[in-house]
Amino acid sequence: MTPAACQALLDAMIEAVCLVDPKTLRISMVNQVLADMVGLPQADFLNKPVIELTSAPEDLFFWEDVAAGLADNILSESLLRCSDGVAIAVERKVSRVWLRLQEPVYLVGLRDLRQQRLAEEQLENRMSELRATLESTGDGILVIDMVGGVRHYNRRFVELWNVPTDLLEGHDDASLFEHLSACVKDIGAYRERLDTITNDPEMECTDVLLLRSGRMLERVTLPQTSRSRVVGRVYSFRDLTERLDAQKRIEALAYTDVLTGLPNRLLLGQRVAVALRTAQRNGSTFALLFVDLDRFKNINDSLGHAFGDRVLIEASARIQQTLREVDTLCRVGGDEFIAFLQEADAIGAEIVARRILERLGQPFVLDTVNFSLGCSIGVAMYPADGRTLDTLIQCADTAMFRVKERGRGNFRFYQPQMNVDLLSRVKMDHAMRLAMENGLFRLHYQPQISLVDGRLLGVEALIRWTDAELGNVSPATFIPLAEESGFIISIGNWVLTEAVRQAQVWQSAGRPVVVSVNVSALQFQQGDFVDRVASAIGDAGLDPALLELELTESILIKDVNETLARLHALASLGVSLAIDDFGTGYSSLAYLKKFPISKLKIDRAFVMGLPADEGDRAIVGATIAMARALKLSVVAEGVETGAQRDFLQGLQCEAFQGFLCSPGLAAADFERLYTTLPKGRLHGLAA
């Protein structure tokens, strides 16, 4: 055969082929199909070593055998190297052929397997989807062919019919059908109906089967068709037992939380009761974790209660993932959960607490909204912290509250001292409210003295409380508690009214004195605060210039625009404004320029170390210099020694108050002190 005829023959083939010289093992001729597959012109193949096309180990060994005269043909899968460096799967067949007498050559045929592999992959994916669909349905599925052979089934079918493992592994269809018949109460009716269905391949029907196990199954029978002909039958089985147990499920709702589906307090009580009896017999322990979500109120307020409910569901799921199957998670209301850990010791409780903190500390994403939550956890142990559910919950709640007090986002075990402290706070809160009702609060007045000439510049009103049981209660003790409970608003309003009344008394007596009143942040934020100040001044008939309001720095940095408007409203009344305890907060110089403030009060913490402490000297000096630059007056608090006074005087501080002059005095005692002063000056207290 001539080379031209040979080339024409190769080009007529639909598969990729080439001829290989058996002596040189080089390609002598290729067709266009192979050239297109590799991505090279036909000419580039000529005289190329054949192993450059298919370089799998099997190919290398085969061509070595060809060179030795030991091989005739080969058929298997291999990889074809293309011009772009990609190797594609091919079926490679090599045969020895004779184009001329006694001149054999090797014909290499290559079939592209990519489409076949793609089809196989698609088929496998469809089979995988079918299996996933069968397994994801809540019904039991059984598929049989036309001769009664089992083709498919899912796990739900195995569960509903309680099919033994050996029947499944043995693929014994006859034994499987015998097992199904044996499970039914009325075997005769079951087999008769099955025969009817079998005899009518296109029949569609629905039956109800009663099993010996007490289960009630709905059987739906449908023909399986392919290309418009019946090829088998599909049986689906749905458990109807729940309909019979509807009343039981209704009762179960009484034991679960409607929103999260978690056990409620009632079910928790039953499970803990069982655990208590077991623990009493065995001497075992268990733990109770009180979990309270942090900053959940912000979620409800900003995104709504519906969104908040979804957050609670997600949070409960995260907590549940940290517990064992024997443990119980209960929602007791709002954003509070209780985790009951069966037979857990303190180490186990700590491990779970840390897991919960870690899971709830991870970011939340709902409806593209990203946010963080976190939680605080209190832990109580049985029997160390209590022997009843109520006691354990109370102890865990107390420990959780202590975590909230100290910054949130952590856990603590209950300690007996916590209840002592909490009870003390409860008693003090109650006593504080009774003191207001019974008029036990009173005001003392501490003079503010000029460091220039010793004149009395004003007084600061200081609240005092003497209780029959608690004795003299320091403001440092009850004021923080009042701020925490919100009672500081009532106390602040009383102080304002009483101070204004006393200032008016001194005004009417011809001895006008400027009275300074401390204002809490919570009191200042009340919408009617400016009106209250105006009413107090107007009702008493006090000259507004005789009232000074002392504000903390924390007031000034919150809601700046609203604060600025309120301060200007107060200033328009004619009262003066001062910043109390300056230097302990986060005041901005920009705010000081904007706000109608006339005075800074240096906190006693910076005065105590004067004049020896270098840091205090620098802070006080800088504060006074800044105040002078802003045209603000300065009062130093807590001055107790002459050296402190002299140092402040040297820095040109305008005034001071403290024990060096006088402690806070009752109104009558202050009046006696005032009347003894010639021209209102305290001798020896200024240069």
Side-chain angles (χ1 to χ4, degrees), residues 191-312:
R191 287 179 172 171
E192 182 180 349
R193 182 62 171 164
L194 205 58
D195 289 340
T196 302
I197 295 172
T198 303
N199 293 331
D200 186 356
E202 296 185 357
M203 182 177 183
E204 299 181 10
C205 62
T206 300
D207 304 287
V208 175
L209 306 177
L210 294 177
L211 305 188
R212 295 180 182 276
S213 63
R215 229 175 211 147
M216 177 185 288
L217 301 182
E218 179 186 58
R219 178 180 63 185
V220 177
T221 304
L222 295 173
Q224 182 186 18
T225 60
S226 176
R227 296 181 180 179
S228 301
R229 68 185 184 90
V230 178
V231 296
R233 184 164 293 281
V234 178
Y235 294 95
S236 66
F237 302 92
R238 177 168 298 176
D239 192 351
L240 300 181
T241 312
E242 291 185 357
R243 294 184 183 178
L244 301 177
D245 297 336
Q247 186 59 41
K248 293 181 180 179
R249 287 194 294 159
I250 292 173
E251 293 176 358
L253 291 176
Y255 294 96
T256 57
D257 174 58
V258 176
L259 176 63
T260 62
L262 294 174
N264 60 14
R265 175 72 176 268
L266 186 59
L267 182 55
L268 175 68
Q270 293 182 357
R271 293 184 179 179
V272 171
V274 173
L276 283 169
R277 291 193 293 269
T278 302
Q280 289 167 0
R281 288 195 305 268
N282 302 338
S284 56
T285 64
F286 62 81
L288 220 62
L289 276 61
F290 198 106
V291 183
D292 186 272
L293 302 183
D294 294 336
R295 299 177 296 278
F296 179 72
K297 185 177 183 299
N298 296 341
I299 300 294
N300 262 349
D301 292 346
S302 60
L303 298 172
H305 289 276
F307 191 90
D309 287 346
R310 294 174 60 195
V311 173
L312 288 174

Side-chain angles (χ1 to χ4, degrees), residues 421-462:
D421 295 342
L422 185 58
L423 182 60
S424 175
R425 292 163 66 88
V426 171
K427 287 182 176 179
M428 180 169 291
D429 181 73
H430 180 65
M432 184 169 55
R433 296 171 189 271
L434 289 179
M436 179 64 71
E437 294 178 8
N438 299 327
L440 299 182
F441 288 113
R442 62 192 187 282
L443 291 183
H444 281 189
Y445 302 89
Q446 187 172 45
Q448 295 177 349
I449 306 301
S450 169
L451 281 168
V452 177
D453 54 14
R455 286 183 304 109
L456 176 70
L457 299 179
V459 294
E460 179 180 357
L462 304 173

Side-chain angles (χ1 to χ4, degrees), residues 6-20 27-38 42 45-46 50 53 80 90-95 97 106-112:
C6 184
Q7 182 65 56
L9 178 62
L10 265 59
D11 288 338
M13 295 181 178
I14 61 174
E15 291 187 345
V17 294
C18 67
L19 295 181
V20 178
I27 299 172
S28 60
M29 191 175 294
V30 300
N31 67 353
Q32 188 60 42
V33 178
L34 178 57
D36 293 340
M37 186 184 299
V38 176
Q42 285 178 285
F45 287 88
L46 300 181
V50 68
L53 284 182
L80 175 64
V90 295
E91 182 183 67
R92 178 253 303 107
K93 181 178 182 180
V94 182
S95 303
V97 298
Y106 282 87
L107 177 68
V108 180
L110 300 168
R111 184 166 65 89
D112 192 341

Side-chain angles (χ1 to χ4, degrees), residues 553-581:
E553 293 176 82
S554 61
I555 293 176
L556 305 182
I557 63 173
K558 189 171 184 179
D559 297 327
V560 176
N561 292 332
E562 182 179 344
T563 298
L564 183 60
R566 193 163 295 177
L567 291 177
H568 279 296
L570 291 170
S572 67
L573 297 178
V575 303
S576 56
L577 303 172
I579 298 180
D580 191 24
D581 300 335

